[in-house]
Amino acid sequence: MQYISTRGAAPELGFDEVLLVGLANDGGLYVPKTWPQVSTEQLHQWSTLSYQALAVEVMLPFVEDSIPRDDFAVLVDRAYSTFQHSSVTPLKQLDSNLYLLELFHGPTLAFKDCALQLLGHLFDHVLEQQDRRVTIVGATSGDTGSAAIEAIKGRARADIFILFPEGRVSPVQQRQMTTVRAENVHALAIDGTFDDCQDLVKAMFADKGFREKVNLSAVNSINWARIMAQIVYYFWAALRLGAPEREVDFCVPTGNFGNVFAGYAAKQMGLPMGRLMVGSNRNDILTRFFESDDMSTRAVEPSLSPSMDIQISSNFERYLFDLLDRDGKATGQTMTDFRRTGRMQVGQGGWNRAKSEFHGFSLSDSACVAAMQHWHKAAGEVLDPHTVIGVQHAAEFGTVERPAVALATAHPAKFPAAVKRALGFEPALPSHLTDLYDRPEQFSVLANVLEDVQNHVLTNRRG
Ligand SMILES: *Cc1c(COP(=O)(O)O)cnc(C)c1O
């Protein structure tokens, strides 16, 4: 498989290069040149496979030019051995036509582990082949940092430095980053805000001398390999519920449009699917787009579901590229205009197509609390404040003909304050994390000064 940029002006690359570069050098995002096609017969054969075996089949066409099948199968097995549930992402019935796909059984209790656990092993494999090392830096306001740290810890050829705003991440999230013991993991508390952390990371990438000296890299949400790994659980859930004979709807709480784009990719590959339902909180730019072709940015407002407090969904560009008939020039122009004006319209044809493939929904904080209370009472289920948006979306807009699968993107114990506000108690952490508050923390506190952070990276990375 070769990959092309959504802006049409970057070189075509193979999987190993796409993995390591992340963003294309024309500012675009890499997408597969064509979608591999899965036949009905193959779907039947796949319906009895384990999660890991299915994952190899679904992803192989994307990686096989860079990683042979047998090697890839080993990496997949290693990646999902850290999950606490034997079926990796179990399905749970909530109501007659409503299922929960639990994506939070990985080490950090959020769905990001499904992709990042594999990414860590893919990095090591490709770097080993090319005899290279990288230094990964990233900024986090919570979820992504811990998932990235768990993915890279112990990997031979990568070191990771995660910057977080001191005193501004939740205690669970902080401890998930600072109690990891590995010589290649570095949690850095910055005396500043999340935006300061992001600016420091951007400045490190912009500093060519530094970037080349330490082989700077990132594992952020626009990396194609993260989308690829998320395609697997759409196949998994649909096959459990009767695909290819029966279609299902998927309800996905969305921030960067990454997770739901993986669902769209599964559909392009031939998985029969109803609608992809896109849920947001009060930061509802995507809902407004699907309702009225109004993609206009507003200020980001904090909500009960912080991992979706986003106005510009970076992965939307991948879908836009398809809406514009894969015209890279038009996509680049539309994105540049959007950045300048804060508005985007795709025109009647594109919008009609978008409306037929996606359905938008948003839930205010108070409605979110009410829904958490409802599902606790009606089904005995404690839902986290992100997941509940998809569940409520299914309940309000699901159909009788098709089952709906709501993606459970985080374990409720990851957001104890929101659960306490809704239900009056804090959910217990799963058994592998019950001692999280007894583990010793280790992190460095640094001033919001680029030179200090760069010096810290230079002196603490290996090799
Ligand atoms: C990251 C995250 C999301 C949003 O996922 P995207 O891929 O950005 O759409 C939703 N819920 C939780 C719990 C998350 O951590």
Side-chain angles (χ1 to χ4, degrees):
M1 177 66 68
Q2 288 293 109
Y3 293 84
I4 54 174
S5 165
T6 51
R7 302 202 182 174
E12 258 180 55
L13 298 179
F15 177 77
D16 48 352
E17 290 163 297
V18 165
L19 175 76
L20 297 179
V21 299
L23 199 70
N25 68 10
D26 59 358
L29 276 56
Y30 275 106
V31 289
K33 200 168 174 184
T34 55
W35 293 111
Q37 294 301 306
V38 180
S39 67
T40 306
E41 198 187 347
Q42 269 174 312
L43 286 171
H44 280 131
Q45 284 165 1
W46 289 0
S47 64
T48 54
L49 298 181
S50 67
Y51 187 92
Q52 289 85 339
L54 177 69
V56 172
E57 299 302 330
V58 171
M59 292 188 277
L60 194 65
F62 295 114
V63 305
E64 63 190 342
D65 296 340
S66 307
I67 311 176
R69 172 189 272 268
D70 291 350
D71 291 351
F72 186 58
V74 171
L75 302 179
V76 166
D77 273 340
R78 281 190 198 140
Y80 296 108
S81 68
T82 58
F83 280 60
Q84 298 293 312
H85 199 286
S86 55
S87 44
V88 184
T89 61
L91 263 185
K92 185 172 186 181
Q93 186 160 20
L94 264 196
D95 207 344
S96 59
N97 228 7
L98 173 56
Y99 296 80
L100 207 55
L101 179 61
E102 294 184 347
L103 303 176
F104 54 67
H105 293 281
T108 73
L109 311 181
F111 85 95
K112 295 189 170 68
D113 291 330
C114 297
L116 282 166
Q117 284 294 300
L118 180 63
L119 218 72
H121 291 284
L122 291 171
F123 259 72
D124 244 8
H125 181 88
V126 167
L127 291 168
E128 175 81 36
Q129 276 181 329
Q130 302 185 359
D131 192 20
R132 288 172 58 190
R133 308 187 51 84
V134 291
T135 304
I136 293 167
V137 296
T140 190
S141 56
D143 273 0
T144 314
S146 57
I149 284 175
E150 282 291 341
I152 300 300
K153 81 169 186 202
R155 303 275 69 84
R157 289 177 174 266
D159 296 287
I160 184 165
F161 294 81
I162 293 291
L163 283 59
F164 65 93
E166 194 193 7
R168 294 177 201 233
V169 298
S170 81
V172 181
Q173 290 175 327
Q174 172 156 339
R175 290 190 148 266
Q176 284 186 314
M177 294 188 278
T178 58
T179 61
V180 174
R181 284 271 159 285
E183 59 167 352
N184 67 333
V185 165
H186 307 272
L188 309 182
I190 302 295
D191 181 12
T193 62
F194 170 59
D195 287 337
D196 294 331
C197 296
Q198 256 188 328
D199 288 344
L200 287 167
V201 169
K202 277 189 200 149
M204 282 190 267
F205 274 97
D207 180 343
K208 188 159 179 272
F210 179 77
R211 187 175 74 220
E212 288 173 357
K213 188 162 186 187
V214 305
N215 297 312
L216 217 51
S217 186
V219 290
N220 47 26
S221 76
I222 49 92
N223 195 302
W224 162 254
R226 285 181 63 174
I227 307 275
M228 174 187 80
Q230 293 169 2
I231 297 172
V232 176
Y233 48 70
Y234 287 88
F235 278 92
W236 170 257
L239 289 169
R240 301 274 85 61
L241 293 174
E245 271 69 41
R246 193 156 71 143
E247 292 187 337
V248 299
D249 288 337
F250 285 97
C251 302
V252 191
T254 296
N256 267 319
F257 206 72
N259 204 3
V260 75
F261 185 80
Y264 168 81
K267 193 173 179 179
Q268 303 312 303
M269 292 169 71
L271 182 67
M273 201 182 282
R275 282 186 302 182
L276 282 160
M277 320 221 334
V278 181
S280 49
N281 58 34
R282 68 169 70 161
N283 300 293
D284 62 349
I285 183 167
L286 288 166
T287 310
R288 283 183 281 120
F289 170 69
F290 292 119
E291 272 174 3
S292 55
D293 195 11
D294 168 26
M295 180 84 91
S296 58
T297 53
R298 296 177 184 166
V300 177
E301 292 177 29
S303 78
L304 275 184
S305 41
S307 299
M308 293 155 57
D309 291 345
I310 283 170
Q311 276 294 333
I312 297 185
S313 301
S314 46
N315 277 294
F316 187 81
E317 180 167 340
R318 290 192 157 105
Y319 182 54
L320 179 70
F321 183 57
D322 276 5
L323 285 182
L324 298 174
D325 298 319
R326 299 204 140 202
D327 179 340
K329 215 168 158 208
T331 307
Q333 191 60 52
T334 305
M335 289 310 297
T336 313
D337 291 348
F338 179 50
R339 291 283 168 171
R340 203 187 62 233
T341 63
R343 282 193 76 98
M344 174 192 326
Q345 280 181 316
V346 296
Q348 197 64 34
W351 182 53
N352 281 340
R353 173 171 166 194
K355 270 195 304 184
S356 71
E357 296 183 312
F358 294 92
H359 181 266
F361 177 77
S362 70
L363 212 58
S364 68
D365 278 1
S366 57
C368 200
V369 164
M372 285 162 81
Q373 291 167 342
H374 167 79
W375 290 102
H376 186 237
K377 220 166 148 189
E381 196 64 34
V382 179
L383 297 171
D384 98 278
H386 305 76
T387 302
V388 75
I389 295 174
V391 170
Q392 198 56 29
H393 193 173
E396 292 184 30
F397 289 93
T399 66
V400 287
E401 307 101 71
R402 293 186 297 268
V405 175
L407 271 52
T409 53
H411 189 289
K414 195 141 192 184
F415 298 95
V419 175
K420 185 152 193 212
R421 177 169 153 196
L423 306 181
F425 61 86
E426 292 194 358
L429 285 161
S431 57
H432 66 108
L433 283 170
T434 41
D435 65 341
L436 186 65
Y437 285 91
D438 305 325
R439 297 178 193 171
E441 282 191 278
Q442 193 174 31
F443 61 97
S444 306
V445 183
L446 295 178
N448 176 21
V449 176
L450 178 62
E451 210 188 331
D452 292 5
V453 178
Q454 287 180 321
N455 281 334
H456 190 91
V457 172
L458 285 168
T459 43
N460 287 284
R461 79 193 175 101
R462 298 172 299 178

